[in-house]
């Protein structure tokens, strides 16, 4: 086993030398010749039974070699025997619920809030035929029933950076598998499978891709859990496109460097923002009092590069004044992104539940990118310092049309 940065660069590339290529090959085939149709039938049966590979991929919904390389690389980074990739983070969450609850006939989920708004909404919507009990990390054992198929947690949680002790939650869940959404920490900072999590889930759209140009999801787990996930993926068609697999695999090579650099910026900005008169409070695991259980340095190798800040002024006005920071949802990109969870990512979480789980209406989520930290500070400082400072001039669609018409 190589170390983190080496694994990030070399993982999933073991067959490239034999292929005589250096860059990751992108296989766009939707179908594969099966001259011996009986043999093709055996391969198809193997995939339908949950196999990772067979003689021929047969059809791209069953298997894709480019995606499979990305899966091997991600599994190596998470320290699991397998990983299964999906077309988005939400497709991955859906597949985990289907494999752990629907396939096993255990239609009850226990979830700890806050969660990413999409996950929260999926679990409470009834769409997958499961019932969800929301609870706190210390009460998981009380919420588990004989019908419980899955415990769902995030740490650090989206959007307020709450931390929870994964090993303690796994112990409280007993026999029930736990899925840890590891999107915020990435395998660079945390490996929940080593702490007993059955499923480690990523929205690959965020840090794994890392450049804001690919949508995907992936679940790292033991082979015993991977088989049912692959079966679900084949049946529902929630596959990752090979271009997405390529982009996320390429992203992994620089993942440790990107996360470490962005984290340095986040630690500095969290410290400065906590002392800013326009800020009510800041949430980041690096700040004093933010990590009473001492999880940073034990469970996590670092506090991460996402922080949240509660503004004294209307957060919408603060965002409007930003000139450098990108006002957009998502996170983990090379550029710094800011968004208002109550308006956007957590809009579908009922207001009372959102507030009760520590996500007030004046909270902004900041995903720190790779810019010079002094430039980010200048922009945040002026935006938080009130309306007299520099204003962003939004390019209105009307203005754009006029520009076109006058040319
Ligand atoms: C974005 C996100 C998701 C959903 O991922 P998509 O790729 O957008 O479907 C799930 N969990 C967390 C923590 C996220 O930030």
């Amino acid at each position: 086993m190589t170390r983190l940065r080496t694994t990030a660069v070399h993982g999933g590339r073991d067959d490239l030398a034999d292929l005589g290529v250096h860059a990751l090959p992108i296989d766009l085939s939707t179908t594969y010749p099966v001259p011996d149709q009986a043999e093709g039938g055996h391969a198809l049966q193997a995939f339908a039974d949950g196999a990772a590979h067979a003689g021929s991929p047969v059809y791209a919904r069953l298997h894709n070699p480019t995606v499979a390389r990305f899966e091997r690389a991600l599994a190596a980074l998470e320290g699991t025997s397998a990983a299964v990739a999906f077309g988005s983070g939400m497709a991955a969450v859906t597949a985990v619920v289907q494999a752990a609850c629907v396939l096993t006939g255990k239609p009850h989920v226990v979830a700890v809030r806050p969660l990413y708004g999409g996950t929260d909404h999926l679990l409470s919507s009834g769409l997958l035929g499961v019932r969800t009990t929301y609870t706190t990390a210390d009460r998981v054992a009380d919420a588990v029933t004989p019908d419980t198929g899955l415990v769902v947690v995030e740490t650090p949680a989206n959007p307020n950076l709450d931390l929870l002790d994964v090993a303690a939650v796994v112990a409280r869940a007993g026999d029930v598998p736990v899925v840890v959404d590891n999107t915020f920490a990435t395998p660079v900072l945390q490996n929940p499978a080593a702490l007993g999590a059955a499923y480690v889930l990523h929205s690959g759209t965020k840090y794994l891709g890392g450049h804001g140009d690919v949508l995907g999801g992936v679940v790292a787990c033991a082979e015993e859990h991977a088989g049912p996930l692959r079966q679900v993926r084949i049946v529902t068609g929630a596959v990752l496109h090979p271009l997405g697999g390529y982009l996320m695999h390429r992203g992994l090579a620089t993942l440790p460097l990107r996360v470490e650099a962005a984290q340095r910026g986040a630690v500095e900005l969290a410290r400065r923002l906590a002392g800013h008169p326009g800020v009510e409070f800041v949430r980041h695991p690096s700040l004093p009092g933010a990590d009473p259980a001492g999880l940073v340095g034990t469970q996590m190798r670092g506090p991460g590069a996402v922080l949240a800040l509660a503004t004294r002024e209307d957060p919408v006005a603060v965002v409007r004044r930003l000139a450098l920071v990108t006002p957009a949802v998502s996170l983990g990109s090379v550029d710094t992104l800011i968004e208002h969870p109550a308006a956007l990512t957590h809009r579908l979480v009922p207001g009372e539940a959102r507030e009760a789980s520590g996500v007030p209406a004046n909270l902004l989520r900041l995903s720190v990118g790779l810019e010079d930290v002094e430039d980010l500070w200048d922009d945040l400082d002026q935006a938080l310092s009130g309306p007299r400072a520099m204003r962003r001039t939004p390019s209105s669609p009307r203005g754009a049309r006029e520009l076109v018409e006058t040319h």
Side-chain angles (χ1 to χ4, degrees):
M1 262 272 292
T2 51
R3 294 167 182 80
L4 177 77
R5 288 186 190 181
T6 310
T7 306
V9 170
H10 290 280
R13 295 171 191 251
D14 31 289
D15 66 336
L16 299 198
D18 284 347
L19 292 171
V21 299
H22 184 236
L24 295 163
I26 304 172
D27 182 345
L28 294 174
S29 305
T30 55
T31 192
Y32 294 82
V34 276
D36 185 328
Q37 301 260 303
E39 255 177 45
H42 292 309
L44 191 144
Q45 188 62 52
F47 287 125
D49 293 339
H53 47 81
S56 163
V58 184
Y59 186 59
R61 181 155 43 74
L62 311 182
H63 182 84
N64 176 274
T66 304
V67 171
R69 281 188 202 93
F70 163 63
E71 292 171 335
R72 288 199 298 275
L74 194 277
L77 285 173
E78 284 291 6
T80 56
S81 54
V84 185
F86 295 89
S88 70
M90 287 315 301
V93 176
T94 300
V96 169
V97 173
Q98 287 167 326
C101 297
V102 182
L103 284 185
T104 60
K106 293 190 168 182
H108 180 239
V109 173
V110 172
V112 175
R113 273 178 168 146
L115 294 169
Y116 170 65
T119 303
D120 193 297
H121 180 59
L122 177 72
L123 294 177
S124 55
S125 67
L127 187 65
L128 301 177
V130 296
R131 205 162 36 79
T132 301
T133 302
Y134 293 98
T135 186
T136 53
D138 51 336
R139 299 216 193 108
V140 164
D142 302 334
V144 168
T145 71
D147 262 359
T148 309
L150 185 67
V151 172
V152 181
V153 301
E154 281 180 19
T155 181
N158 188 347
N160 72 352
L161 288 304
D162 269 4
L163 301 182
L164 56 76
D165 184 331
V166 172
V169 168
V170 167
R172 287 175 203 133
D175 294 340
V176 180
V178 175
V179 56
V180 175
D181 189 324
N182 207 27
T183 299
F184 272 41
T186 81
V188 176
L189 301 179
Q190 179 172 278
N191 298 118
L195 305 166
Y199 304 95
V200 179
L201 186 142
H202 292 274
S203 167
T205 312
K206 316 296 168 54
Y207 287 101
L208 307 188
H211 296 71
D213 56 7
V214 56
L215 200 66
V218 63
V219 181
C221 57
E223 183 54 34
E224 94 188 81
H225 291 300
L229 286 176
R230 292 188 201 106
Q231 289 176 303
V232 165
R233 183 174 63 179
I234 290 170
V235 173
T236 61
V239 291
L240 176 65
H241 191 275
L243 282 175
Y246 167 83
L247 285 169
M248 287 194 280
H249 197 169
R250 188 171 74 157
L252 292 184
T254 54
L255 181 69
L257 295 180
R258 285 187 283 109
V259 169
E260 286 157 17
Q263 176 176 263
R264 275 195 298 279
V267 168
E268 181 59 22
L269 290 175
R271 190 182 64 75
R272 294 192 195 182
L273 286 167
H276 197 287
V279 173
E280 187 190 323
F281 64 83
V282 177
R283 300 295 313 265
H284 189 249
S286 68
L287 292 173
D291 176 29
L295 297 170
V296 179
T298 53
Q299 173 171 297
M300 294 182 80
R301 290 181 281 273
V306 184
L307 59 89
L309 62 147
T311 59
R312 293 202 191 277
E313 199 198 337
D314 177 8
V316 175
V318 173
V319 171
R320 211 178 282 128
R321 284 196 291 268
L322 288 164
L324 176 65
V325 173
T326 309
V329 297
S330 199
L331 56 105
S333 186
V334 286
D335 58 327
T336 297
L337 304 173
I338 198 163
E339 68 104 13
H340 184 210
L344 296 166
T345 50
H346 292 69
R347 189 183 191 90
L348 298 180
V349 182
E352 272 174 35
R354 182 176 44 69
E355 298 260 353
S357 65
V359 186
N362 63 337
L363 197 76
L364 292 173
R365 189 188 70 192
L366 186 74
S367 164
V368 178
L370 302 178
E371 301 94 333
D372 288 294
V373 73
E374 294 302 337
D375 290 328
L376 293 172
W377 174 249
D378 287 349
D379 195 31
L380 290 163
D381 180 32
Q382 64 79 19
L384 287 161
S385 296
R388 276 180 310 147
M390 182 179 69
R391 268 177 192 282
R392 185 187 189 88
T393 38
S395 52
S396 70
R398 188 145 160 267
R401 202 160 45 237
E402 280 163 10
L403 201 67
V404 170
E405 281 165 7
T406 53
H407 280 71

